Amino acid sequence: MLFHRRETRLPSPEEALKGRPEPEFALPDRHTVLGNPLAGPYPEGLAVADFGLGCFWGAERKFWQTPGVWTTLVGYQGGHTPNPAYEEVCSGLTGHTEAVRVVFDPSAVSYETLLKLFWESHDPTQGFRQGNDTGTQYRSAVYTHSPAQQAEAEASRTAYQSVLRASGYGDITTEILPAGPFYAAEPHHQQYLDKNPAGYCGIGGTGVSCPVGVAKADG
C-alpha cells in the first residue's frame, strides 16, 4: 500500500500530505442523470449544501433522485490536503471525508428536507466508519454555507439525537462546520452508480425517522 492507513484519528495540518496546487484532471461538464453542469457558478436562486455520509457513490444517488435537486457532485472536504487524490484520502493522511455537494432549488426542496434525507440515509453514531467501510474518510459531516444552514443543521442534529437515543442508539458523531474547500473527486467517481448500476453501495440508515418541522432556523 502506498500510504499508511490511519483509521482512528485525523491528522494534524503538519502531518497531512502536501497535495498539489491544481487538480490533475478535468471535471466532466454535465451530470449524467440530471444533465446540468457539475461545476459552478450556478444559476441565480439555487443554493448549495454539502454532506458526508459514508461512501459517496451511494450517497450521491440518494440526492440526485430527490426532486428539486439541480445537480450533484462528489468530492473531498473537511481536511487539510489541497486537491487530494482518492488514494490519498483513503490513506487517512489528508483529513478529508468523502462528501456530496448538492445544488438545489430552495423553492422546490427545502434544506430541512435534505437534512432529513441525510440523517435517515446513514448511521451518524458510528464515528470513523459506515457499516463495513472503515476510515476517517467515511465520517459523518454537514458543511454549511450560511449561518441559517448552520443553525438548522445543529437543530436537526439535536432533534434526531433524541429519537435515536429513544431507539437505543448512542451519541451522534456528525461534525457540523462551516464549509471549507470542496475538492471534486476524479471523473470516474462522479455519478458512479449511474455509470455502474450494479456497483457497490454501502449506504444504509438506522431505520429511525428524523422529525420534520423541528429544525427551523431564523434567517
Side-chain angles (χ1 to χ4, degrees):
M1 182 170 289
L2 183 59
F3 302 105
H4 176 65
R5 290 185 69 91
R6 294 173 184 260
E7 296 182 349
T8 59
R9 71 176 183 91
L10 292 169
S12 67
E14 294 74 24
E15 294 173 317
L17 298 173
K18 289 178 59 177
R20 51 201 56 80
E22 299 291 338
E24 296 182 332
F25 56 84
L27 194 65
D29 288 337
R30 292 188 176 271
H31 197 286
T32 61
V33 178
L34 301 176
N36 293 319
L38 293 185
Y42 302 112
E44 186 176 353
L46 299 182
V48 175
D50 295 331
F51 302 102
L53 55 156
C55 176
F56 51 22
W57 292 346
E60 185 189 20
R61 182 170 61 182
K62 287 281 188 181
F63 288 104
W64 86 52
Q65 292 174 336
T66 302
V69 170
W70 192 80
T71 199
T72 60
L73 65 158
V74 296
Y76 314 116
Q77 202 166 10
H80 309 297
T81 301
N83 297 296
Y86 177 72
E87 293 78 12
E88 294 172 336
V89 173
C90 290
S91 76
L93 294 174
T94 72
H96 294 290
T97 192
E98 294 189 13
V100 181
R101 171 151 289 182
V102 182
V103 183
F104 65 102
D105 180 353
S107 69
V109 61
S110 67
Y111 185 60
E112 180 183 65
T113 297
L114 298 179
L115 285 168
K116 177 178 172 64
L117 178 61
F118 163 76
W119 293 119
E120 294 180 356
S121 295
H122 75 304
D123 182 348
T125 69
Q126 292 192 313
F128 293 149
R129 71 181 181 93
Q130 278 298 306
N132 293 326
D133 294 332
T134 60
T136 57
Q137 75 272 26
Y138 298 117
R139 71 187 185 275
S140 176
V142 180
Y143 299 115
T144 62
H145 290 264
S146 69
Q149 280 193 0
Q150 182 78 19
E152 196 163 348
E154 291 174 353
S156 71
R157 178 175 58 189
T158 299
Y160 199 41
Q161 181 68 79
S162 295
V163 295
L164 282 178
R165 188 171 290 120
S167 298
Y169 285 88
D171 291 340
I172 288 175
T173 60
T174 305
E175 61 184 25
I176 300 177
L177 297 169
F182 177 95
Y183 300 105
E186 294 82 351
H188 66 277
H189 291 299
Q190 306 298 334
Q191 297 88 63
Y192 180 87
L193 291 182
D194 177 53
K195 302 168 186 173
N196 303 275
Y200 169 77
C201 176
I203 292 296
T206 61
V208 179
S209 178
C210 181
V212 173
V214 296
K216 296 295 186 184
D218 295 333

